[in-house]
Coordinates of all heavy atoms in Angstrom, one line a residue:
K1 N 15.8 -31.0 21.9 CA 15.6 -32.4 22.4 C 16.1 -32.6 23.8 O 15.6 -33.3 24.6 CB 16.2 -33.4 21.4 CG 15.9 -34.8 21.7 CD 16.4 -35.8 20.6 CE 16.1 -37.2 20.9 NZ 16.6 -38.1 19.9
R2 N 17.3 -32.0 24.0 CA 17.9 -32.1 25.4 C 17.0 -31.5 26.4 O 17.0 -31.9 27.6 CB 19.2 -31.4 25.4 CG 20.4 -32.2 24.7 CD 21.7 -31.7 25.1 NE 22.0 -30.4 24.6 CZ 22.6 -30.1 23.5 NH1 23.0 -31.1 22.7 NH2 22.8 -28.9 23.0
K3 N 16.1 -30.5 26.0 CA 15.2 -29.9 26.9 C 13.9 -30.7 27.0 O 12.9 -30.3 27.7 CB 14.9 -28.5 26.5 CG 16.1 -27.6 26.5 CD 16.8 -27.4 27.8 CE 18.0 -26.4 27.7 NZ 18.6 -26.3 29.1
G4 N 13.8 -31.8 26.2 CA 12.6 -32.6 26.2 C 11.5 -32.0 25.4 O 10.3 -32.3 25.5
L5 N 11.9 -31.1 24.4 CA 10.9 -30.5 23.6 C 10.7 -31.2 22.2 O 11.6 -31.8 21.7 CB 11.3 -29.0 23.3 CG 11.6 -28.1 24.5 CD1 11.9 -26.7 24.1 CD2 10.4 -28.1 25.5
I6 N 9.5 -31.0 21.7 CA 9.3 -31.5 20.3 C 9.7 -30.3 19.3 O 9.4 -29.2 19.6 CB 7.8 -31.8 20.1 CG1 7.4 -33.0 20.9 CG2 7.4 -32.0 18.6 CD1 8.1 -34.3 20.5
T7 N 10.3 -30.7 18.2 CA 10.7 -29.7 17.2 C 9.8 -29.8 16.0 O 9.7 -30.8 15.4 CB 12.2 -29.9 16.8 OG1 13.0 -29.7 18.0 CG2 12.5 -28.8 15.7
F8 N 9.1 -28.6 15.7 CA 8.2 -28.5 14.6 C 8.8 -27.5 13.6 O 9.2 -26.4 14.0 CB 6.8 -28.0 15.0 CG 5.8 -27.9 13.9 CD1 4.8 -28.8 13.7 CD2 5.9 -26.8 13.0 CE1 3.9 -28.7 12.7 CE2 5.0 -26.7 12.0 CZ 4.0 -27.6 11.8
V9 N 9.0 -27.9 12.4 CA 9.6 -27.0 11.4 C 8.7 -26.8 10.2 O 8.1 -27.8 9.7 CB 10.9 -27.7 10.9 CG1 11.5 -27.0 9.7 CG2 12.0 -27.6 12.0
D10 N 8.6 -25.6 9.7 CA 8.0 -25.2 8.5 C 9.0 -25.2 7.4 O 9.9 -24.3 7.3 CB 7.3 -23.9 8.6 CG 6.7 -23.4 7.2 OD1 6.7 -24.2 6.3 OD2 6.3 -22.2 7.2
A11 N 9.0 -26.2 6.5 CA 10.0 -26.3 5.4 C 9.4 -26.0 4.1 O 9.9 -26.5 3.0 CB 10.6 -27.7 5.4
S12 N 8.4 -25.1 4.0 CA 7.8 -24.8 2.7 C 8.7 -24.3 1.7 O 8.6 -24.7 0.5 CB 6.6 -23.8 3.0 OG 5.6 -24.3 3.8
Q13 N 9.7 -23.5 2.1 CA 10.7 -22.9 1.1 C 11.9 -23.9 1.0 O 12.5 -23.9 -0.1 CB 11.1 -21.6 1.5 CG 10.1 -20.5 1.5 CD 9.5 -20.2 0.1 OE1 10.2 -20.5 -0.9 NE2 8.3 -19.6 0.0
S14 N 12.2 -24.6 2.0 CA 13.4 -25.4 2.0 C 13.4 -26.7 1.2 O 14.3 -27.0 0.5 CB 13.8 -25.7 3.4 OG 14.0 -24.5 4.2
I15 N 12.2 -27.4 1.3 CA 12.2 -28.7 0.7 C 12.3 -28.6 -0.8 O 11.7 -27.8 -1.4 CB 10.9 -29.4 1.1 CG1 10.9 -30.9 0.7 CG2 9.6 -28.7 0.5 CD1 9.8 -31.8 1.3
G16 N 13.3 -29.3 -1.4 CA 13.6 -29.2 -2.8 C 14.6 -28.1 -3.1 O 15.1 -28.1 -4.2
N17 N 15.0 -27.3 -2.1 CA 16.0 -26.3 -2.2 C 17.3 -26.6 -1.4 O 18.3 -25.9 -1.5 CB 15.5 -24.9 -1.9 CG 14.9 -24.2 -3.1 OD1 15.3 -24.4 -4.2 ND2 13.8 -23.4 -2.8
T18 N 17.2 -27.5 -0.5 CA 18.3 -28.0 0.3 C 18.1 -29.4 0.8 O 16.9 -29.9 0.7 CB 18.5 -27.0 1.5 OG1 19.7 -27.3 2.2 CG2 17.3 -27.2 2.5
N19 N 19.1 -30.0 1.2 CA 19.0 -31.4 1.7 C 18.4 -31.4 3.1 O 18.9 -30.7 3.9 CB 20.3 -32.1 1.6 CG 20.8 -32.5 0.2 OD1 20.1 -33.3 -0.4 ND2 21.8 -31.8 -0.3
I20 N 17.4 -32.3 3.3 CA 16.8 -32.4 4.6 C 16.8 -33.9 5.0 O 16.5 -34.7 4.3 CB 15.3 -31.9 4.6 CG1 15.3 -30.4 4.4 CG2 14.7 -32.2 6.0 CD1 13.9 -29.8 4.2
H21 N 17.3 -34.1 6.2 CA 17.3 -35.5 6.8 C 16.6 -35.4 8.2 O 17.2 -34.9 9.1 CB 18.8 -36.0 7.0 CG 18.9 -37.4 7.3 ND1 18.2 -38.0 8.4 CD2 19.5 -38.4 6.6 CE1 18.5 -39.3 8.4 NE2 19.3 -39.6 7.3
V22 N 15.4 -35.7 8.2 CA 14.5 -35.4 9.4 C 15.1 -36.0 10.7 O 15.0 -35.3 11.7 CB 13.1 -35.9 9.2 CG1 12.4 -35.0 8.2 CG2 13.0 -37.3 8.7
E23 N 15.7 -37.2 10.6 CA 16.2 -37.7 11.9 C 17.5 -37.1 12.3 O 17.7 -36.6 13.4 CB 16.4 -39.2 11.7 CG 15.0 -40.0 11.7 CD 15.2 -41.5 12.0 OE1 16.0 -42.1 11.2 OE2 14.6 -42.0 12.9
D24 N 18.4 -37.0 11.3 CA 19.7 -36.3 11.6 C 19.6 -34.9 12.0 O 20.4 -34.3 12.7 CB 20.7 -36.5 10.4 CG 21.2 -37.9 10.2 OD1 20.9 -38.7 11.1 OD2 21.8 -38.1 9.2
D25 N 18.5 -34.2 11.5 CA 18.3 -32.8 11.7 C 17.4 -32.6 13.0 O 17.0 -31.4 13.3 CB 17.6 -32.1 10.5 CG 18.5 -32.1 9.3 OD1 19.8 -32.2 9.5 OD2 18.1 -31.9 8.2
Y26 N 17.0 -33.7 13.7 CA 16.3 -33.6 14.9 C 14.9 -32.9 14.7 O 14.4 -32.1 15.5 CB 17.0 -32.8 16.0 CG 18.3 -33.5 16.5 CD1 19.5 -33.2 15.9 CD2 18.2 -34.5 17.5 CE1 20.7 -33.9 16.3 CE2 19.4 -35.1 17.9 CZ 20.6 -34.8 17.3 OH 21.7 -35.5 17.7
I27 N 14.3 -33.3 13.6 CA 12.9 -32.7 13.3 C 11.9 -33.8 13.6 O 11.9 -34.9 13.1 CB 12.9 -32.4 11.8 CG1 13.8 -31.2 11.5 CG2 11.4 -32.0 11.4 CD1 14.0 -30.9 10.0
D28 N 11.0 -33.4 14.5 CA 9.9 -34.3 14.9 C 8.7 -34.2 14.1 O 7.9 -35.2 13.8 CB 9.5 -34.1 16.4 CG 10.7 -34.4 17.3 OD1 11.1 -35.5 17.4 OD2 11.1 -33.4 18.0
M29 N 8.4 -33.0 13.6 CA 7.2 -32.7 12.8 C 7.6 -31.6 11.8 O 8.3 -30.7 12.1 CB 6.1 -32.3 13.6 CG 4.8 -32.2 12.9 SD 3.3 -32.3 14.0 CE 3.8 -31.7 15.6
M30 N 7.2 -31.8 10.5 CA 7.6 -30.9 9.5 C 6.4 -30.7 8.5 O 5.9 -31.7 7.9 CB 8.8 -31.4 8.7 CG 9.3 -30.4 7.7 SD 10.9 -31.0 6.9 CE 10.2 -32.2 5.8
A31 N 6.0 -29.4 8.2 CA 5.1 -29.1 7.2 C 5.8 -28.6 6.0 O 6.8 -28.0 6.1 CB 4.1 -28.1 7.8
F32 N 5.2 -28.8 4.8 CA 5.8 -28.3 3.6 C 4.8 -28.2 2.5 O 3.7 -28.7 2.5 CB 6.9 -29.3 3.2 CG 6.5 -30.7 3.0 CD1 6.0 -31.2 1.8 CD2 6.6 -31.6 4.0 CE1 5.7 -32.5 1.6 CE2 6.2 -32.9 3.9 CZ 5.7 -33.3 2.7
S33 N 5.2 -27.4 1.5 CA 4.4 -27.2 0.3 C 4.9 -28.1 -0.8 O 6.1 -28.4 -0.9 CB 4.5 -25.7 -0.1 OG 3.9 -25.5 -1.4
C34 N 4.0 -28.4 -1.8 CA 4.4 -29.3 -2.8 C 4.5 -28.7 -4.2 O 4.8 -29.3 -5.2 CB 3.4 -30.5 -2.9 SG 3.4 -31.6 -1.5
H35 N 4.1 -27.4 -4.3 CA 4.1 -26.7 -5.6 C 5.2 -25.7 -5.8 O 5.3 -25.0 -6.8 CB 2.7 -26.0 -5.7 CG 2.5 -24.8 -4.8 ND1 2.8 -23.5 -5.2 CD2 2.1 -24.8 -3.5 CE1 2.5 -22.7 -4.2 NE2 2.1 -23.5 -3.2
K36 N 6.1 -25.5 -4.8 CA 7.2 -24.6 -4.9 C 8.4 -25.4 -5.5 O 8.3 -25.7 -6.7 CB 7.5 -24.0 -3.6 CG 6.3 -23.2 -3.0 CD 6.7 -22.6 -1.6 CE 5.4 -22.0 -0.9 NZ 4.9 -20.8 -1.6
S37 N 9.4 -25.6 -4.7 CA 10.6 -26.3 -5.3 C 10.4 -27.8 -5.6 O 11.2 -28.4 -6.2 CB 11.8 -26.0 -4.4 OG 12.2 -24.7 -4.5
L38 N 9.3 -28.3 -5.1 CA 9.0 -29.7 -5.5 C 8.3 -29.8 -6.8 O 8.1 -30.8 -7.4 CB 8.1 -30.4 -4.4 CG 8.7 -30.6 -3.0 CD1 7.8 -31.4 -2.1 CD2 10.1 -31.4 -3.2
M39 N 7.8 -28.6 -7.3 CA 7.3 -28.4 -8.7 C 6.1 -29.2 -9.1 O 5.8 -29.5 -10.2 CB 8.5 -28.7 -9.7 CG 9.7 -27.8 -9.5 SD 10.9 -28.0 -10.8 CE 11.6 -29.6 -10.5

């Protein structure tokens, strides 16, 4: 963000397996799967 970049994150494995706070984590865009740890 300090460099003026957008941050895109693939959270397919993480969502449902760890806590994610998109704003506090500086995530501008995030893709994820719904059939893994979201069950």
Side-chain angles (χ1 to χ4, degrees):
K1 186 175 182 178
R2 284 197 292 269
K3 302 294 181 184
L5 306 181
I6 293 296
T7 297
F8 180 105
V9 168
D10 171 12
S12 295
Q13 294 295 338
S14 299
I15 191 168
N17 271 326
T18 190
N19 287 293
I20 295 175
H21 192 303
V22 286
E23 287 196 304
D24 288 354
D25 294 340
Y26 294 93
I27 295 172
D28 297 300
M29 191 158 26
M30 184 177 77
F32 55 90
S33 173
C34 296
H35 67 97
K36 300 180 188 292
S37 291
L38 294 185
M39 299 190 290

